[in-house]
């Protein structure tokens, strides 16, 4: 809980979550939840989709319409703990949303992404969405081809390929808050932990809040460098040969076919 509050505050302070922008979901350990809660259901909410893989699982989730800047002052109003039931078509509220609120409008994208990432990495716990300015700006001026987008980011900072060797997947503009964008995001999550929503923001997935935050932070930093140099003549870059050296040095493998 403390980490969730700290992360939401940090994201707000980075300018990634204006107003109610962004949302976070974290898969919780049942034993951990039982230690703190009496497990009484406050109410049952319809999810609007099915996620049988997550039946019975517990999540700490930011509330819809809630401001990240306020999470630290009233966590119980801005966050909630839910248990998915009935094949994920319903969620029991066990704690939070004290003003009668509900989970983020992007709940389907979060839950479907959890399903997709847990297949790839059973230790995945966090899905995070936000609106970082440089990545968002980049989607207006850069080719949205995933290989091209990823290669540009990798070329902007030496450590990018080390932090996200699986690259960045990209969705074209789609209507947010729908099951369609949720399904499309989850499909993209099968092959990368970062999914850019063009002209909207980004999704990240990871084993804990720090790792997921760091993933987005690294991509956002690369996008910032890109925007600083995109209009200038390019004199130097990180070559594919150098990227291969990074692969060897850090024991990572770049996404298949993304390097020459
Ligand atoms: P929520 O307030 O419903 O979480 O929505 C914020 C957002 O970023 C939508 O994409
Ligand atoms: Zn958003």
């Amino acid at each position: 809980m403390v980490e969730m509050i700290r992360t939401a505050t940090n994201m707000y302070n980075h300018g990634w979550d204006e107003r109610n922008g962004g949302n976070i979901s974290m898969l919780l350990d049942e034993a951990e939840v039982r230690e703190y809660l009496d497990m009484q259901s406050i109410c049952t909410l319809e999810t609007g989709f099915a996620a049988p893989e997550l039946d019975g699982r517990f999540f700490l989730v930011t509330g819809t319409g809630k401001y990240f800047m306020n999470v630290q002052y009233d966590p119980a109003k801005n966050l909630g703990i839910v248990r998915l039931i009935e094949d994920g078509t319903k969620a029991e509220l066990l704690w939070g949303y004290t003003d009668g609120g509900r989970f983020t409008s992007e709940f389907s994208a979060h839950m479907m992404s959890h399903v997709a990432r847990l297949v790839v990495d059973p230790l995945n716990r966090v899905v995070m969405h936000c609106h970082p300015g440089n990545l968002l700006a980049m989607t207006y001026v850069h080719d949205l081809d995933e290989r091209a987008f990823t290669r540009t980011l990798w070329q902007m900072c030496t450590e990018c390929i080390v932090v996200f060797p699986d690259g960045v997947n990209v969705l074209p503009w789609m209507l947010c808050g729908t099951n369609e964008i949720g399904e499309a995001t989850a499909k993209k999550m099968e092959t990368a932990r970062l999914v850019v929503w063009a002209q909207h923001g980004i999704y990240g997935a990871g084993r804990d809040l720090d790792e997921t935050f760091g993933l987005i932070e690294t991509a956002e930093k690369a996008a910032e460098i890109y925007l600083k140099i995109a209009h200038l003549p390019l004199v130097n870059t990180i070559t594919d040969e150098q990227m291969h050296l990074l692969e060897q040095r850090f024991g990572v493998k770049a996404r298949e076919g993304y390097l020459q």
Side-chain angles (χ1 to χ4, degrees):
M1 184 62 71
V2 171
E3 285 163 36
M4 186 72 153
I5 295 167
R6 213 179 274 153
T7 302
T9 306
N10 202 10
M11 290 171 77
Y12 174 74
N13 289 337
H14 273 66
W16 300 350
D17 298 278
E18 74 291 341
R19 201 174 182 275
N20 66 310
N23 21 77
I24 311 173
S25 62
M26 182 160 72
L27 178 58
L28 302 173
D29 205 41
E30 178 162 358
E32 198 183 355
V33 180
R34 287 188 186 279
E35 202 177 314
Y36 294 101
L37 298 182
D38 59 11
M39 309 303 273
Q40 290 300 312
S41 167
I42 298 164
C43 63
T44 302
L45 304 161
E46 300 278 339
T47 64
F49 57 86
E53 302 87 342
L54 299 177
D55 196 74
R57 308 302 294 268
F58 297 84
F59 290 91
L60 174 59
V61 193
T62 54
T64 185
K66 297 295 188 274
Y67 294 21
F68 271 33
M69 78 179 174
N70 292 333
V71 169
Q72 60 183 317
Y73 304 114
D74 196 346
K77 185 166 107 181
N78 296 293
L79 304 173
I81 293 177
V82 296
R83 169 169 45 192
L84 291 187
I85 54 166
E86 295 182 29
D87 281 347
T89 57
K90 294 192 174 116
E92 277 182 325
L93 179 64
L94 301 174
W95 175 89
Y97 307 145
T98 52
D99 64 347
R102 56 185 273 128
F103 41 71
T104 172
S105 60
E106 306 292 4
F107 198 54
S108 63
H110 279 257
M111 294 303 111
M112 291 177 194
S113 293
H114 277 286
V115 171
R117 287 313 303 175
L118 284 167
V119 171
V120 184
D121 177 10
L123 295 180
N124 194 86
R125 292 289 174 270
V126 174
V127 172
M128 187 181 281
H129 165 63
C130 56
H131 306 159
N134 295 294
L135 277 164
L136 223 163
M138 193 170 154
T139 67
Y140 286 86
V141 296
H142 194 283
D143 184 353
L144 295 181
D145 172 75
E146 290 168 347
R147 182 176 182 273
F149 204 93
T150 296
R151 284 180 53 83
T152 296
L153 291 177
W154 283 351
Q155 285 161 356
M156 294 304 114
C157 312
T158 293
E159 305 218 327
C160 278
I161 194 169
V162 180
V163 176
F164 49 97
D166 44 351
V168 173
N169 284 340
V170 184
L171 279 184
W173 188 93
M174 288 176 75
L175 187 61
C176 56
T178 62
N179 287 346
E180 288 71 31
I181 202 169
E183 282 158 17
T185 305
K187 186 88 199 116
K188 295 289 185 191
M189 281 280 179
E190 290 172 8
T191 49
R193 290 169 300 148
L194 286 169
V195 179
V196 167
W197 281 8
Q199 294 86 48
H200 183 136
I202 192 163
Y203 269 75
R207 292 180 171 185
D208 59 40
L209 288 162
D210 279 356
E211 185 192 87
T212 315
F213 180 95
L215 196 58
I216 294 176
E217 185 182 29
T218 308
E220 169 64 0
K221 176 72 170 282
E224 181 185 349
I225 308 293
Y226 172 73
L227 292 178
K228 282 185 201 291
I229 65 159
H231 60 292
L232 300 170
L234 193 68
V235 179
N236 302 302
T237 190
I238 304 171
T239 65
D240 280 28
E241 206 169 48
Q242 290 166 334
M243 301 254 194
H244 285 302
L245 290 176
L246 287 163
E247 282 184 298
Q248 286 159 26
R249 169 67 183 81
F250 292 95
V252 295
K253 185 81 193 80
R255 177 98 161 249
E256 194 64 40
Y258 274 31
L259 292 179
Q260 275 134 29

